[in-house]
Amino acid sequence: SWYAVEAFGKVFGGNKKDDNKSINNFGGIDLTKPPSSLDETLTRIQMDNDRSYFLSGEVDRLIYDEDCTFADPFVSFNGRDRFIENLANLGSFITNYDARMLKYDVEKDGKEIVTKVMVKLELNLPWKPVLAWPWGVTYKIDPETCLVTSHIESWDIDALDGVLQIFRKPTVKIGNKE
């Protein structure tokens, strides 16, 4: 799925760049610098999830190691900048979305976070397909650098079944974000 997003995004995407400018300060945390403690990293990951970063594209790039591993049911790659670019490109394909947190567990003394989110997203295609399934991420954090070194996605649906949702009429609706 990342390869498809990359290919389409490079051709049709808006190539917007975040660089943490739209989210540069919150509650005394300087978001223009990498996190300085494990607690700060945990807070910043929570902030990203509160913003539905995966769908909004508003991601705190500085919480990720430059060589962080990113994986979903289709592909795995290393590189924070590639991930950030893919998120920006993905936004040009989504016309509406809804995300509801189902699980947010801090584990292994703060060195791992496991999330589960009910995701619904409407794609910018003429028939407006809605993809919907529980989606999760396991974040692994290096306690020395306080950076995320692994961002592994899981889907509570077979990958092929998820992709096939693109080609059917929507069976669920998404409320307007207005």
Side-chain angles (χ1 to χ4, degrees):
S1 65
W2 279 116
Y3 292 130
V5 170
E6 282 180 316
F8 286 115
K10 287 180 181 180
V11 173
F12 301 107
N15 199 17
K16 70 178 183 176
K17 201 153 175 146
D18 183 344
D19 288 328
N20 281 22
K21 287 185 174 59
S22 66
I23 53 169
N24 64 8
N25 196 306
F26 179 83
I29 296 174
D30 185 351
L31 300 177
T32 64
K33 297 178 181 171
S36 59
S37 70
L38 193 55
D39 284 342
E40 182 180 338
T41 303
L42 297 173
T43 298
R44 289 167 73 162
I45 291 170
Q46 178 69 59
M47 291 166 57
D48 265 3
N49 277 277
D50 289 348
R51 282 191 297 278
S52 299
Y53 74 97
F54 192 80
L55 301 168
S56 71
E58 293 181 46
V59 63
D60 184 346
R61 70 183 304 119
L62 298 178
I63 62 175
Y64 293 98
D65 185 270
E66 286 183 27
D67 293 319
C68 183
T69 299
F70 297 90
D72 68 18
F74 289 103
V75 69
S76 176
F77 62 86
N78 290 5
R80 172 187 70 197
D81 292 341
R82 183 175 175 187
F83 176 69
I84 302 296
E85 185 177 304
N86 286 346
L87 285 181
N89 291 338
L90 182 64
S92 64
F93 297 108
I94 298 173
T95 54
N96 197 3
Y97 67 86
D98 183 47
R100 182 174 45 91
M101 186 65 67
L102 303 173
K103 170 182 168 179
Y104 188 94
D105 293 338
V106 177
E107 301 177 355
K108 299 184 181 175
D109 296 324
K111 295 180 218 131
E112 188 171 287
I113 295 176
V114 178
T115 66
K116 184 74 63 179
V117 179
M118 182 61 211
V119 173
K120 297 177 187 174
L121 55 102
E122 180 184 82
L123 298 183
N124 191 14
L125 294 169
W127 60 97
K128 300 292 185 198
V130 174
L131 310 184
W133 59 75
W135 166 82
V137 175
T138 298
Y139 305 82
K140 293 190 178 174
I141 304 164
D142 179 333
E144 298 297 314
T145 64
C146 304
L147 297 176
V148 177
T149 57
S150 177
H151 178 283
I152 309 300
E153 295 178 32
S154 62
W155 298 357
D156 284 7
I157 186 173
D158 178 75
L160 179 59
D161 290 338
V163 171
L164 289 175
Q165 289 184 18
I166 295 170
F167 302 104
R168 70 168 196 219
K169 287 192 160 217
T171 59
V172 296
K173 298 256 187 227
I174 301 173
N176 287 331
K177 298 300 266 179
E178 308 300 319

